[in-house]
Amino acid sequence: MGRDRLLVIGGDAAGMSAAAQARRLRPEMRITVLEQGPDVSFSACGIPYWVGGVVADRDLLIARTPAQFAAQDIDVRTGTRAEGIDLGAGTVRTGTGETLGYDRLVVATGGRPARPPVPGLDAEGVHGVHRLADGADMRAAIAAGAKRAVVLGGGYIGLEMAEVLRARGLEVTVVLADPLPMAQLDPDMGERVCAAMGAMGIDVRPGEPVREVETDADGVARAVRTDAGAYEADLVVLGLGMGPEAALAADAGLQLGSTGAVEVDRTQRSVSHPEVSAAGDCSQTWSRITGAAMHVALGTHANKQGRVAGSVIAGTPARFAGVLGTALTKVGDTEVALTGLSSAAAEEAGYACRAETISATTRAGYYPGAEEITVKLISERGSGALLGAQIVGGPGSGKRIDVFATAIWAGLTAEELAGSDLSYAPPFSPTYDPVLVAARVSSRIEQG
Amino acid sequence: MGRDRLLVIGGDAAGMSAAAQARRLRPEMRITVLEQGPDVSFSACGIPYWVGGVVADRDLLIARTPAQFAAQDIDVRTGTRAEGIDLGAGTVRTGTGETLGYDRLVVATGGRPARPPVPGLDAEGVHGVHRLADGADMRAAIAAGAKRAVVLGGGYIGLEMAEVLRARGLEVTVVLADPLPMAQLDPDMGERVCAAMGAMGIDVRPGEPVREVETDADGVARAVRTDAGAYEADLVVLGLGMGPEAALAADAGLQLGSTGAVEVDRTQRSVSHPEVSAAGDCSQTWSRITGAAMHVALGTHANKQGRVAGSVIAGTPARFAGVLGTALTKVGDTEVALTGLSSAAAEEAGYACRAETISATTRAGYYPGAEEITVKLISERGSGALLGAQIVGGPGSGKRIDVFATAIWAGLTAEELAGSDLSYAPPFSPTYDPVLVAARVSSRIEQG
């Protein structure tokens, strides 16, 4: 095939999945991975739990080391930054002045914490939750006696950081621009999350976008100012979402999509330069429900997209099947999960939608440990097609979102799901699982 | 419509669901329920946990009382046994000598513990796990000092009873005819269950069908004899499965199916007498996968079938959509779940099948409480259609079966499921949920 030199830029989930899959399918391929940081294949999602001390050791977050990849004949070069791509010449220039030729290139440069143009947001003491070094910095700040934390943003990173910092005894304030945390939820569900955070002693400040991070004489963050006031902080956490890290690709002339991420086809190849693939947080993806372009920074998609890229490069057909936007997190004992479209997103996408909310218990009501669970199900009026689901509840609630995700993935209606044969035993669910109750209520004939 | 007198025989899940649904849709209907026992709407599935003391109070197992139904204008007559049905006259004769006319009849006589023709199986001290009185008897036996229990059968009732009796400190022996417990599982998965039981100190005796229950001079069970020996017992538990209680229906002339249960169409109406409906454990159902007739005694199906029967009687179209055979239980901390066809059942049904087994963890490997989970996925060779799944693992494993059940229900292939957007967060799953790993491995191109 002639295409025997694969170069991968970025050594996290997408890049390493692409490399590993290509190696699996094409033992003769020469594979090189450039990673600017010190580690590959680490779990960014685990950083909050390392900061919180739930996970004791940084190294536990590293799934595989460069040496392990080397044993698979994948040449991983950490501390090596890709400075420029020459698409015409088929070369990549590194920070060390080297120029590497490729036959096939995977751009997997990942994401970066969103940093809106707010004064002081780049100050020392403002921490992303992105690299292991971020986690180390926050741990150091706590060890040095940080008492007050302000978390910017109420998405899942914000929630997780607020939880772990509170659990470590810090005073935690969360400031967010949206009227409620977890803005992808419908408001009635978001209110439940907000209440759960309040019950943990987290000071939630909705409708207060950060206006400035105030610094001391040394340029260290000391307070977060919103329109409502200033919140003192020994530690500021950036939880304003993740954007694509696509500058390298854009500078090279790769087409970006409307989300600012590299635009790819369903085989993860660049729409403008099919000899280049892009995968993971730097690449644009699409909604399985509406077909709309989306940018979702999540390890699960990155892994799958990387595999698709690696397969296609190795000559084995594969395609990425889109995303629903499934998300799962917890704040204390309250689990929060969603998939598909919210009511607002469904209406925005042109659906006449129906939303039903039910409350039930996670186990048979008489079984110890039965916890309240609230399920909201969004379906298309008339057809009954499932469009989205949201769950807030106690332990055992969140993972039930996967049943809805699977049902939406498969195109089931509420009525079809309501008839399905889900498991039941008293330690695990009421006779009608809450998933079925929500589906049943959503499939009742609409009244007058 | 003229059909305004609904008579329901049997006041448990199916019968009461039928009555409640008919009432909801037809406020003017006269609805009477005959129940031979003292209670309606109780959770038979909760009996093991009441015996075990996990559930403290018998009354917790009663979902609704006759008085609550009376408030809905449903006349529930407990302690009233239906002795005969006259299909021609449209009447039911009760044990109290009354004759009740009906326009529509629902037979919901339930199931009964299988009692093979083994000497002594009807002796005092041999307990079903069927009625609340069974639970009370076992609790009394334990309170009176029972030390040794022998459980007959290794299905989920056997497992649950073995667990709770062991937890209460009894010596527990489980004798079963099959080579392994949970015989619907493939052997490699059944071995895991057997090992978990052994680790709890339960003495499992596979391949030893009960030959006789030996009794003392007073006719009380004292030992269980198999071909391998005799096991002393203060308490013998019947866990040999549930059969349909269909004698009343058969005597009346209603057609029974090959399973010995009342044969019904998909609207739960008797195939021989459509003015009579049957639902729940006394009725025959069908496999959604193969179309074959099945008898499955489970509250979930009973509830749904009762609702269908009640809807149809009230003039609102409804149909039962079949079963997969989903089941979930636990023995100690080991959760056991299955849905659809085992490898053997798939082959029996004419499928060229492929079975893949994977091991993973329930949470991110580094997150505290990550437990081992083993997933076996059975799919059709070639098409990749999902046929069945089995799970054995630690806390958090079992309910994942619902994702497979939904995928099978919807007709997904392993590859389609592997691409689906399931939730991920470190406290809840590895980046690739075990469900996805199993699907991915099952969708790999088969090797030469």
Side-chain angles (χ1 to χ4, degrees), chain B residues 71-89:
Chain B
Q72 283 186 277
D73 196 23
I74 295 172
D75 178 19
V76 177
R77 304 190 189 175
T78 54
T80 307
R81 184 178 163 81
E83 296 284 357
I85 304 169
D86 185 332
L87 294 172

Side-chain angles (χ1 to χ4, degrees), chain A residues 75 83 149 424:
Chain A
D75 178 19
E83 295 285 358
Y424 159 61

Side-chain angles (χ1 to χ4, degrees), chain A residues 178-196:
Chain A
D178 294 308
L180 285 166
M182 291 297 283
Q184 317 98 301
L185 295 173
D186 280 21
D188 57 329
M189 300 297 276
E191 275 165 16
R192 293 175 179 272
V193 178
C194 197

Side-chain angles (χ1 to χ4, degrees), chain A residues 54-262:
Chain A
V54 179
V55 176
D57 186 351
R58 168 192 186 282
D59 289 349
L60 292 170
L61 300 186
I62 297 174
R64 298 179 76 198
T65 62
Q68 289 172 302
F69 285 104
Q72 281 185 279
D73 196 22
I74 294 172
D75 178 19
V76 177
R77 305 190 189 173
T78 54
T80 306
R81 186 176 160 80
E83 295 285 358
I85 305 169
D86 185 332
L87 295 171
T91 58
V92 169
R93 186 167 37 82
T94 71
T96 52
E98 222 178 338
T99 297
L100 301 171
Y102 64 81
D103 299 300
R104 296 299 298 266
L105 178 70
V106 175
V107 176
T109 43
R112 57 176 174 185
R115 286 182 188 263
V118 168
L121 214 57
D122 289 318
E124 191 181 326
V126 180
H127 304 276
V129 190
H130 181 42
R131 297 281 165 199
L132 291 177
D134 298 328
D137 289 347
M138 286 189 275
R139 286 175 64 95
I142 296 166
K147 297 274 178 269
R148 293 160 305 187
V150 176
V151 176
L152 311 179
Y156 65 90
I157 292 175
L159 255 65
E160 290 165 5
M161 286 307 306
E163 169 189 327
V164 300
L165 293 171
R166 184 78 195 111
R168 290 201 65 162
L170 279 76
E171 288 175 31
V172 179
T173 300
V174 179
V175 304
L176 58 151
D178 294 308
L180 285 166
M182 291 297 283
Q184 317 98 301
L185 295 173
D186 280 21
D188 57 329
M189 300 297 276
E191 275 165 16
R192 293 175 179 272
V193 178
C194 197
M197 294 172 77
M200 292 181 69
I202 296 167
D203 180 28
V204 186
R205 300 288 177 160
E208 292 190 33
V210 53
R211 296 301 184 195
E212 183 182 356
V213 176
E214 297 173 356
T215 54
D216 63 15
D218 297 327
V220 178
R222 284 297 168 222
V224 169
R225 198 168 53 70
T226 72
D227 291 340
Y231 305 96
E232 293 186 10
D234 304 316
L235 187 66
V236 177
V237 180
L238 261 181
L240 297 168
M242 292 288 287
E245 181 64 271
L248 183 74
D251 290 346
L254 290 170
Q255 172 78 43
L256 303 191
S258 57
T259 65
V262 180

